[in-house]
Amino acid sequence: MSRLIAILLLFALNLAVWSYEVPSGLSVTFIDVGQGDAILLETPQVQVLVDGGPGSSVLAGLGDRLPFWDRTLDAVVATHPDADHIGGLSDVLERYTVATIIEPGINNTTRAWGSFVDATNKEIASGASHVVARAGMRLNLGAGAYVDILYPDHDVTNIDDTNSGSIVMRVVYGDTSFMLTGDAPTAVEQELFLKYGYGLDSDVLKAGHHGSRTSSSADFVGSVSPAYAIFSRGCDNSYGHPHEGVAALFVSRAIKTFDTCTDGSISLVSDGRTVTRVE
């Protein structure tokens, strides 16, 4: 009987190994965490988590994407201190060994941010690197993929509106790219439009601030010119996300939208030439 149990356990382990597919190019998964953001970037060499949603549900999302034996992340990015973006990162830092923690350097006194700072300090004490994000920085994802930090381009330590200090990044692999904007408002979008123009062009746009009317301005969306847009939001959110005007803008420009409320977690993969959704 013990031999049979051992064989069954070995079979189960092999099945788990076979079920995990190492991405051959770039995989970007918008994890369904309800009203919030959590985005996993994967290449064959590197795994990066951008934000962690409002609570521990991000752990289930990571568990769905990563093999059970893998408890490491090459980097965690906290785009800004809002709880719906960093509330789950304390749990992530507690359960995963993280090599680099990246954040915009905003002072904040909320409980969620305090928990994140405490967890960050513990990880730093264990050897993690801490980076304050600034425009011009590049994070190498391996396989020829990389992340360019576009914003903030100045000190945002004591900024009043934390959204205005959100990290904005462009993830690039070959001829394809993804624009991840955190909760950056239209004023920041306008700065980026004036600075980069159509250099912002990307295949995929994560709609700023969950589809709020305070983001996704016409100039910015036009300069990004995405084929796909992602609404990362909860179904029963009290903010009215996504705003009908933003949804209408995407429709008017023939931009196909995905929504974590209705679609659940959304995985898009790039082979360096095209972006497709993994069903």
Side-chain angles (χ1 to χ4, degrees), residues 6-60:
I7 292 172
L8 290 173
L9 287 174
L10 182 60
F11 176 76
L13 178 60
N14 285 336
L15 187 63
V17 172
W18 294 334
S19 66
Y20 174 64
E21 296 183 9
V22 177
S24 58
L26 171 67
S27 173
V28 180
T29 299
F30 300 85
I31 301 172
D32 178 15
V33 289
Q35 181 64 20
D37 276 13
I39 306 163
L40 182 65
L41 314 178
E42 299 174 86
T43 68
Q45 295 85 20
V46 176
Q47 299 160 342
V48 175
L49 178 66
V50 181
D51 288 333
S56 61
S57 60
V58 64
L59 297 175

Side-chain angles (χ1 to χ4, degrees), residues 58 100 136 151 163 171 198 212 232 237:
V58 64
T100 302
Y151 197 85
N163 290 342
V171 185
Y198 293 97
S212 167
S232 185
N237 73 84

Side-chain angles (χ1 to χ4, degrees), residues 77-94:
V77 181
T79 60
H80 64 298
D82 288 8
D84 58 339
H85 289 253
I86 55 91
L89 290 183
S90 299
D91 288 326
V92 171
L93 292 173
E94 180 180 333

Side-chain angles (χ1 to χ4, degrees), residues 37 50 66 80 86 100 112 136 146 163 194 206 208 234 240 244 249 260:
D37 276 13
V50 181
L66 303 178
H80 64 298
I86 55 91
T100 302
Y146 57 89
N163 290 342
L194 293 174
K206 200 273 321 177
E244 59 183 12
L249 175 64
T260 58

Side-chain angles (χ1 to χ4, degrees), residues 69-130:
W69 66 86
D70 187 355
R71 286 294 181 266
T72 63
L73 290 167
D74 295 280
V76 161
V77 181
T79 60
H80 64 298
D82 288 8
D84 58 339
H85 289 253
I86 55 91
L89 290 183
S90 299
D91 288 326
V92 171
L93 292 173
E94 180 180 333
R95 289 165 175 78
Y96 286 78
T97 299
V98 177
T100 302
I101 300 168
I102 303 170
E103 47 92 8
I106 301 172
N107 281 339
N108 199 256
T109 59
T110 63
R111 177 180 295 182
W113 187 249
S115 297
F116 170 72
V117 169
D118 289 344
T120 294
N121 288 336
K122 289 180 181 177
E123 204 72 15
I124 291 171
S126 298
S129 299
H130 173 242

